[in-house]
Amino acid sequence: MLIHLPDLWIVIIDIVAWFVFHMSIAFIGTILPERYINTHHWLFKERNFEQGGKFYEKYFFIKKWKKYLPDGSALFKKGFKKNKLNSTDKSYFDRFILELCRAEAVHWAVIFISPIFFIWNYEWASWVMILYAIVANMPCILAQRYNRIRFKKIISRKNF
């Protein structure tokens, strides 16, 4: 802990900080121009272990719970809703893939920033904050990756 504060203030700052971090990163991700999102970046590439999405189905039972995840894009005017398909043409699918990459990057960014809590929290509490960031964001990351793999598979089958 670099800054020593009363425990009540630490809790208040943690709550406010999480809200500000989540909303700020999501907002920045939403307004980031499409030209800055590289859907072919190494972060977004399908890995061998993902097995075309089967990994997520077998080990995470993703089909059973992904529909219950909130679609944060609804919070912002420029948000791209990903909870249902609005078209089946190639340009829409390409945009959907881009938006899945955007959403995944936002969730990774929230996890990445979580060590900032070491500044004003006790060490054990900072680790709890990092764990929270992982637990709260990983289901969304898994869903983005799973859906992107499926979309790419559909695009390759349709031969757009």
Side-chain angles (χ1 to χ4, degrees):
M1 176 185 313
L2 297 174
I3 300 172
H4 294 277
L5 299 167
D7 291 350
L8 178 61
W9 278 106
I10 292 172
V11 171
I12 292 168
I13 291 170
D14 286 346
I15 292 167
V16 170
W18 271 127
F19 179 77
V20 169
F21 293 153
H22 277 288
M23 292 299 111
S24 299
I25 293 169
F27 178 72
I28 291 166
T30 302
I31 64 169
L32 189 68
E34 291 179 20
R35 68 181 176 271
Y36 293 117
I37 301 166
N38 178 1
T39 59
H40 303 290
H41 188 272
W42 68 266
L43 180 65
F44 307 124
K45 289 195 182 289
E46 182 180 350
R47 307 297 192 257
N48 290 334
F49 74 87
E50 292 175 299
Q51 303 168 342
K54 289 182 177 75
F55 172 80
Y56 300 110
E57 293 170 7
K58 182 177 179 181
Y59 295 105
F60 293 100
F61 310 102
I62 198 161
K63 287 183 176 182
K64 293 184 183 212
W65 54 262
K66 76 179 187 88
K67 63 185 165 213
Y68 299 111
L69 291 174
D71 186 357
S73 64
L75 297 173
F76 303 105
K77 192 182 231 182
K78 290 187 174 187
F80 182 89
K81 292 180 179 50
K82 295 172 290 304
N83 55 354
K84 69 175 185 168
L85 282 178
N86 293 322
S87 175
T88 57
D89 64 69
K90 170 124 173 38
S91 63
Y92 180 78
F93 274 41
D94 288 341
R95 173 75 191 277
F96 210 109
I97 288 171
L98 181 133
E99 296 301 331
L100 291 168
C101 292
R102 181 191 307 266
E104 182 179 342
V106 164
H107 289 286
W108 279 118
V110 172
I111 293 171
F112 182 75
I113 201 166
S114 63
I116 200 167
F117 285 89
F118 279 98
I119 294 173
W120 64 86
N121 274 284
Y122 298 104
E123 184 177 353
W124 68 265
S126 298
W127 287 111
V128 169
M129 294 297 136
I130 291 172
L131 180 63
Y132 161 75
I134 293 167
V135 168
N137 289 281
M138 200 50 72
C140 300
I141 291 169
L142 296 177
Q144 307 308 332
R145 295 193 66 80
Y146 176 72
N147 287 335
R148 188 171 53 252
I149 290 167
R150 291 176 58 220
F151 269 83
K152 286 184 175 183
K153 196 183 302 182
I154 292 168
I155 288 173
S156 69
R157 281 188 194 150
K158 283 193 165 205
N159 291 326
F160 284 114

